[in-house]
């Protein structure tokens, strides 16, 4: 006997199809929203212009981001040592979760020779430097997550040098991320008379 499909059944099928399509569409929208959120926050974390400059860049190439470097050669015309500039993360890395950090930029012979991010007595809950380092360079050692961990984690040691550390000092714990290259690192040591304060 042939199957009889009434108008009511057709209407029911259409309603079911519409609900099924809406259900599928909601799933795709949720997935898309999660994906966009992940991309946005990852980009957001890495959106600090001060930290996206390449080591070895001439100061003329980065003076748009750092206007104070326009006067560097006038102030230090024949300087043979590394000049260190101390910058506030809140000013140079706005909206990047690095607002409590201090940025040190090292300049050698009118070239960016290194960058260091540091924070005194880092908050165990709000791991600003750790999170930035994990997102940009990836940290494989899970020991660094343990509460009270101190030490040095070398993330790159070829032509590029990237070092993450937490060290105990007289005034407490200091968390740092240091980025340089093998060539410039030999001039960018942060000790003795090799480094002078820029301002």
């Amino acid at each position: 006997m042939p199957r009889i499909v009434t108008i009511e059944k057709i209407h029911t099928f259409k309603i079911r199809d519409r609900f099924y399509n809406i259900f599928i569409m909601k799933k795709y929208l949720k997935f898309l929203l999660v994906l966009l959120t992940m991309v946005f926050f990852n980009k957001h974390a890495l959106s600090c212009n001060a930290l996206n400059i390449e080591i070895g860049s001439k100061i003329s190439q980065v003076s748009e981001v750092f206007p104070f470097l326009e006067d560097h050669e006038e102030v230090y015309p024949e300087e043979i040592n590394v000049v260190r500039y101390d910058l506030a993360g809140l000013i140079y890395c706005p909206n990047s979760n690095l607002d409590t950090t201090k940025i040190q930029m090292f300049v050698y012979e009118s070239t960016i020779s290194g960058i260091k991010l540091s924070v005194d007595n880092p908050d165990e809950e709000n791991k600003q430097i750790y999170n930035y380092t994990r997102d940009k360079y990836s940290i494989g050692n899970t020991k660094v997550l343990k509460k009270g961990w101190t030490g040095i984690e070398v993330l790159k040691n070829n032509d590029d040098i990237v070092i993450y550390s937490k060290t105990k000092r007289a005034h407490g714990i200091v968390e740092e991320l240091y980025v340089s290259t093998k060539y410039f690192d030999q001039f960018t040591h942060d000790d003795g008379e090799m480094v002078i304060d820029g301002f």
Side-chain angles (χ1 to χ4, degrees):
M1 188 170 185
R3 189 173 166 192
I4 298 171
V5 179
T6 64
I7 292 175
E8 283 181 19
K9 281 188 177 178
I10 291 172
H11 185 67
T12 306
F13 289 145
K14 282 184 178 178
I15 290 172
R16 272 194 209 155
D17 282 346
R18 192 175 299 146
F19 278 120
Y20 180 75
N21 288 338
I22 290 171
F23 174 76
I24 293 296
M25 205 160 80
K26 279 186 178 179
K27 284 223 177 238
Y28 278 119
L29 284 173
K30 278 184 184 177
F31 172 76
L32 189 61
L33 186 64
V34 169
L35 184 66
L36 287 173
T37 304
M38 286 170 60
V39 168
F40 174 77
F41 281 113
N42 194 30
K43 194 174 179 183
H44 199 56
L46 305 180
S47 66
C48 177
N49 288 337
L51 302 173
N52 288 335
I53 62 170
E54 196 173 323
I55 304 300
S57 300
K58 293 291 182 187
I59 57 173
S60 58
Q61 296 172 293
V62 297
S63 58
E64 189 176 309
V65 178
F66 307 103
F68 63 85
L69 288 175
E70 290 174 1
D71 301 328
H72 176 81
E73 288 171 336
E74 277 182 47
V75 179
Y76 305 100
E78 296 177 19
E79 186 54 61
I80 58 167
N81 290 331
V82 172
V83 178
R84 180 186 63 224
Y85 292 97
D86 292 336
L87 316 168
L90 182 62
I91 294 169
Y92 286 93
C93 293
N95 306 317
S96 64
N97 289 329
L98 294 169
D99 53 336
T100 64
T101 61
K102 180 171 74 172
I103 302 169
Q104 292 181 328
M105 179 180 292
F106 300 91
V107 178
Y108 175 69
E109 293 185 344
S110 300
T111 304
I112 305 301
S113 60
I115 294 175
K116 184 186 284 184
L117 260 178
S118 65
V119 66
D120 293 341
N121 298 310
D123 184 354
E124 287 289 339
E125 299 301 316
N126 185 14
K127 303 169 186 289
Q128 293 188 348
I129 293 179
Y130 171 83
N131 290 338
Y132 176 82
T133 306
R134 180 201 60 206
D135 292 344
K136 187 156 186 176
Y137 299 104
S138 76
I139 300 177
N141 187 353
T142 55
K143 287 181 185 177
V144 301
L145 283 171
K146 288 186 178 175
K147 195 169 185 175
W149 175 87
T150 56
I152 296 172
E153 190 68 19
V154 179
L155 304 175
K156 284 188 180 182
N157 191 19
N158 37 40
D159 288 340
D160 296 323
I161 293 176
V162 179
I163 300 170
Y164 172 79
S165 66
K166 267 186 170 179
T167 52
K168 284 184 184 176
R169 300 201 182 154
H171 59 278
I173 301 287
V174 177
E175 182 182 22
E176 292 180 337
L177 171 66
Y178 171 71
V179 180
S180 188
T181 64
K182 208 152 226 174
Y183 172 75
F184 285 113
D185 181 58
Q186 61 188 318
F187 310 109
T188 312
H189 297 296
D190 196 15
D191 54 2
E193 297 176 2
M194 291 187 72
V195 177
I196 62 170
D197 287 329
F199 43 58

